[in-house]
Every structure is written in C-alpha cells, then in structure tokens.
Amino acid sequence: MTTAAPPELLTVPEVMTRLKVGRTKVYDLIRTRRLVSIKVDGCRRIPDDAVRAFIRRQMGEAA
C-alpha cells in the first residue's frame, strides 16, 4: 500500500512570494477562507496544494 506524501507547509512569506502579494493580502485570503491554512504551535502554515487550488480557482473565474 502506497501512502501519498503530505503537502509541503508554506509560511506566509513563502505564499507572499508565490502569489506576488503582500502580507495583508495573504492574511485576508486566510480570514475570508479563500486560502486554507493551519496553525502549528501558533505559527500559520499554508499547504502548498491549497495555494495551487487557489490559483486554479482564480484562473477558472477569470476565464
């Protein structure tokens, strides 16, 4: 049986770089539940697949 590797967890600055947006925008996306995140010992982390899903949704809406 093969288990899938867990998604990489990104920091807010890493997501800022990937999306080319500022810190406030990333936290706004998290607050409005447009970007999934978790807390690990008080530190906000965003799964890399959540960032990819967000980008796909945005591209779908733009089409």
Side-chain angles (χ1 to χ4, degrees), residues 35-56:
L35 189 59
V36 175
S37 72
I38 62 171
K39 275 192 151 185
V40 178
D41 290 333
C43 299
R44 187 64 61 184
R45 296 292 181 257
I46 302 95
D48 62 339
D49 57 351
V51 176
R52 286 193 302 272
F54 171 77
I55 293 169
R56 279 193 303 274

Side-chain angles (χ1 to χ4, degrees), residues 13-53:
E14 290 170 328
V15 174
M16 290 167 52
T17 300
R18 288 191 183 195
L19 296 180
K20 309 289 192 272
V21 297
R23 180 179 182 273
T24 301
K25 184 61 178 179
V26 173
Y27 279 107
D28 182 56
L29 293 171
I30 292 168
R31 183 182 54 77
T32 58
R33 301 184 191 277
R34 293 171 61 201
L35 189 59
V36 175
S37 72
I38 62 171
K39 275 192 151 185
V40 178
D41 290 333
C43 299
R44 187 64 61 184
R45 296 292 181 257
I46 302 95
D48 62 339
D49 57 351
V51 176
R52 286 193 302 272

Side-chain angles (χ1 to χ4, degrees), residues 6-17:
E8 179 183 0
L9 295 177
L10 305 171
T11 63
V12 169
E14 290 170 328
V15 174
M16 290 167 52
T17 300

